[in-house]
Amino acid sequence: MTRKKVKLAYISNDSARKATFKKRKKGLLKKVSELSTLCGIDACAIIFSPYDSQPEVWPSPLGVQRVLSQFKKMPEMEQSKKMVNQDSFLRQRIAKANEQLKKQRKDNREKEITQVMFQSLTGKVLLNLNMMDLNDLGWLIEQNLKEICKRMETLNNGASTHNSSNYGVVKNNGEASQQQVDKSSGFDQMSMEAMQKQQWLLELMNPQEHMGFGSEEIMYPFGESSHSTLWSNPFYP
């Protein structure tokens, strides 16, 4: 269950004011004790109230005197540097509340003009708009256009970087493939040269098998086995 926000105003009811005082005093002393223990600092509290004849001090009268003596040894400018009273505390709270109100008004105005912009995009006629409304609408449209252009530029830069990296990969793959083709072509050429040299050596060692002389059967050109087929061409007699 959420705690109800307390209104900071004087409690007119006596019994309710006394009960609140006792509860808040106990909580304040507890917080001072925790602050001193956790952070290792010197702190004290002096509370005057119409409900007690003597002021209540924490942690003890000697402890309060020690902290006050340390405070009095400081220069006067340092003593009042962060000192606040009820009047200055209220002024700080009012200034903070005014800043929050100003920010909330600005957010509400921006949401209102954004709704008007979307209505204009759907074709709705803009009526009852004064000069300030039109100026705010123009400023909002300009800001949105800047954001769109910035987003498009970011996407284009990312796409160009991606394409350049892909081009580098394709280029490297192409160079590697060309090197493999050149290497395989070199191997094929060396194999052909080795086979030609081997055939040439065989022809030198056995010349009568391919020259057509000194043997019983003459070898004719193009693998023909008879002399009549050699002159079978009609262009020869």
Side-chain angles (χ1 to χ4, degrees), residues 4-108:
K4 185 179 179 180
K5 189 175 181 180
V6 179
K7 182 180 179 181
L8 292 178
Y10 179 74
I11 302 175
S12 59
N13 187 278
D14 294 338
S15 59
R17 185 171 63 251
K18 185 176 180 180
T20 302
F21 169 76
K22 290 182 178 180
K23 183 175 66 174
R24 296 277 177 164
K25 182 184 70 172
K26 184 178 179 181
L28 176 62
L29 296 178
K30 181 180 179 182
K31 290 297 181 182
V32 174
S33 175
E34 291 176 354
L35 180 65
S36 177
T37 302
L38 295 175
C39 302
I41 62 172
D42 293 330
C44 69
I46 304 175
I47 301 175
F48 290 90
S49 71
Y51 308 108
D52 299 320
S53 59
Q54 296 293 329
E56 186 168 353
V57 297
W58 185 93
S60 63
L62 292 178
V64 171
Q65 291 179 3
R66 185 179 68 255
V67 174
L68 291 177
S69 63
Q70 292 178 1
F71 177 74
K72 291 179 180 180
K73 291 179 182 179
M74 297 174 61
E76 293 184 0
M77 292 295 296
E78 294 293 330
Q79 290 181 10
S80 60
K81 186 176 181 179
K82 295 183 179 181
M83 185 181 298
V84 293
N85 53 19
Q86 185 70 15
D87 187 30
S88 62
F89 175 74
L90 291 177
R91 281 199 297 266
Q92 291 178 1
R93 293 291 299 269
I94 292 173
K96 185 177 180 181
N98 288 332
E99 289 294 329
Q100 293 177 353
L101 179 61
K102 183 178 179 181
K103 183 180 179 181
Q104 189 64 42
R105 286 176 176 175
K106 182 179 178 182
D107 293 341
N108 293 339

Side-chain angles (χ1 to χ4, degrees), residues 5 18 21 34 40 53 115 117 141 164 173 186 227 231:
K5 189 175 181 180
K18 185 176 180 180
F21 169 76
E34 291 176 354
S53 59
Q115 186 177 4
M117 181 183 67
I141 292 174
S164 61
N173 292 336
H227 180 71
W231 306 104

Side-chain angles (χ1 to χ4, degrees), residues 62-197:
L62 292 178
V64 171
Q65 291 179 3
R66 185 179 68 255
V67 174
L68 291 177
S69 63
Q70 292 178 1
F71 177 74
K72 291 179 180 180
K73 291 179 182 179
M74 297 174 61
E76 293 184 0
M77 292 295 296
E78 294 293 330
Q79 290 181 10
S80 60
K81 186 176 181 179
K82 295 183 179 181
M83 185 181 298
V84 293
N85 53 19
Q86 185 70 15
D87 187 30
S88 62
F89 175 74
L90 291 177
R91 281 199 297 266
Q92 291 178 1
R93 293 291 299 269
I94 292 173
K96 185 177 180 181
N98 288 332
E99 289 294 329
Q100 293 177 353
L101 179 61
K102 183 178 179 181
K103 183 180 179 181
Q104 189 64 42
R105 286 176 176 175
K106 182 179 178 182
D107 293 341
N108 293 339
R109 180 65 176 174
E110 186 174 352
K111 291 179 181 179
E112 180 182 355
I113 298 300
T114 302
Q115 186 177 4
V116 173
M117 181 183 67
F118 287 142
Q119 289 177 356
S120 65
L121 291 176
T122 59
K124 186 176 180 180
V125 180
L126 300 179
L127 299 175
N128 301 325
L129 293 180
N130 54 26
M131 185 59 66
M132 185 174 63
D133 295 336
L134 294 175
N135 289 333
D136 292 343
L137 180 60
W139 177 84
L140 183 62
I141 292 174
E142 185 179 356
Q143 295 298 320
N144 288 327
L145 288 175
K146 288 181 180 180
E147 290 294 331
I148 292 172
C149 293
K150 185 177 179 181
R151 180 61 177 168
M152 291 175 62
E153 184 179 358
T154 303
L155 293 175
N156 291 332
N157 292 335
S160 60
T161 304
H162 182 69
N163 292 333
S164 61
S165 61
N166 290 338
Y167 175 75
V169 173
V170 172
K171 184 177 180 181
N172 294 332
N173 292 336
E175 292 178 354
S177 301
Q178 185 64 31
Q179 292 178 359
Q180 293 179 357
V181 170
D182 296 341
K183 189 175 181 180
S184 61
S185 300
F187 289 154
D188 294 340
Q189 186 176 1
M190 292 175 62
S191 301
M192 290 293 294
E193 292 178 357
M195 292 175 64
Q196 290 178 358
K197 289 181 180 180

Side-chain angles (χ1 to χ4, degrees), residues 202-213:
L202 291 175
E203 290 177 354
L204 288 178
M205 294 176 63
N206 301 310
Q208 69 278 4
E209 294 180 1
H210 301 281
M211 295 301 294
F213 300 99

